[in-house]
């Protein structure tokens, strides 16, 4: 099974992915494209930059296309595209939408980690809270627009993990 975990920054996606990895023997984890690109030598801009998100989108698409079964993706092209659209709203993203639709068909289970009230990640000094909120709201819209069936997880890390495991086991 191919599982894509998505949401805005600092909502607990990586923590959930790592918890699922411990609970699902034989699965591998594809870490965020940002970190994989950084490790490969890609130099990100010091400031939010649309081209950096395009690079992450393309890399994420490549990861999905080349992966086998039993993999957990920490981020999906959908949330990367949401960031691109929020920081560059005038950019024509039609081709990205089409690619996203194709990649959606490659994923067996979508896990959306929304911002919760109260915010469970409030102990982390969340940077760019307005960006985070706009991306979260856009993802809600796009889940419907793309017709994606998602598990929207809430609560503690263990509660979130159990919500996903209940769906797949």
């Amino acid at each position: 099974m191919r599982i894509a975990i998505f949401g805005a920054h600092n909502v607990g996606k990586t923590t959930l992915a790592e918890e699922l990895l411990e609970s699902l023997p034989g699965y591998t984890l594809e870490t965020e494209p940002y970190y994989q690109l950084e490790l490969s030598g890609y130099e990100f801009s010091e400031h939010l930059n649309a081209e950096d998100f395009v690079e992450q989108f393309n890399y994420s698409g490549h990861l999905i296309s080349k992966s086998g079964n039993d993999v957990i993706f920490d981020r999906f092209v959908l949330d990367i595209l949401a960031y691109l659209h929020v920081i560059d709203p005038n950019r024509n993203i039609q081709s990205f939408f089409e690619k996203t639709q194709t990649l959606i068909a490659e994923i067996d289970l979508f896990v959306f980690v929304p911002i919760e009230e109260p915010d469970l990640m409030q102990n982390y000094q969340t940077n760019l809270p307005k960006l985070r909120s706009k991306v979260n709201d856009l993802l809600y819209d796009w889940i419907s627009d793309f017709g994606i069936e998602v598990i929207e997880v809430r609560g503690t890390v263990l509660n979130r993990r159990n919500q996903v495991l209940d769906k797949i086991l």
Side-chain angles (χ1 to χ4, degrees):
M1 176 172 280
R2 298 162 112 193
I3 303 169
I5 301 173
F6 67 98
H9 59 283
N10 292 345
V11 291
K13 294 178 305 299
T14 300
T15 304
L16 174 59
E18 291 169 347
E19 193 66 35
L20 285 170
L21 187 63
E22 288 183 23
S23 301
L24 296 169
Y27 274 72
T28 58
L29 174 63
E30 287 289 355
T31 58
E32 277 197 48
Y34 178 92
Y35 297 120
Q36 290 192 42
L37 283 166
E38 192 175 52
L39 283 172
S40 72
Y42 183 84
E43 292 188 33
F44 287 93
S45 172
E46 289 183 32
H47 305 285
L48 286 178
N49 176 307
E51 295 313 312
D52 287 345
F53 285 99
V54 168
E55 190 70 27
Q56 290 176 71
F57 181 94
N58 291 331
Y59 191 83
S60 179
H62 172 74
L63 289 175
I64 293 163
S65 296
K66 77 170 184 82
S67 73
N69 291 322
D70 298 338
V71 62
I72 301 165
F73 297 96
D74 181 3
R75 274 222 185 276
F76 181 63
V77 292
L78 188 64
D79 49 353
I80 297 169
L81 183 56
Y83 277 98
L84 175 62
H85 185 60
V86 169
I87 66 168
D88 190 0
N90 296 319
R91 178 184 286 258
N92 182 342
I93 58 171
Q94 184 61 40
S95 64
F96 295 103
F97 260 82
E98 292 167 5
K99 181 67 174 173
T100 299
Q101 194 70 44
T102 300
L103 292 168
I104 284 170
E106 300 285 323
I107 301 298
D108 301 304
L109 180 67
F110 293 94
V111 180
F112 177 47
V113 185
I115 298 171
E116 292 191 59
E117 293 295 330
D119 192 342
L120 296 180
M121 297 295 132
Q122 63 188 348
N123 292 336
Y124 299 102
Q125 279 292 1
T126 303
N127 59 342
L128 305 169
K130 287 181 183 176
L131 174 65
R132 182 177 184 243
S133 180
K134 286 180 180 180
V135 167
N136 187 74
D137 293 347
L138 185 56
L139 287 171
Y140 271 114
D141 291 342
W142 283 358
I143 288 168
S144 175
D145 291 350
F146 279 102
I148 304 170
E149 183 180 327
V150 302
I151 298 173
E152 184 177 321
V153 295
R154 297 188 172 278
T156 67
V157 174
L158 294 180
N159 286 342
R160 292 173 177 190
R161 180 204 64 195
N162 291 340
Q163 290 167 46
V164 174
L165 293 178
D166 288 347
K167 180 73 174 179
I168 61 176
L169 298 179

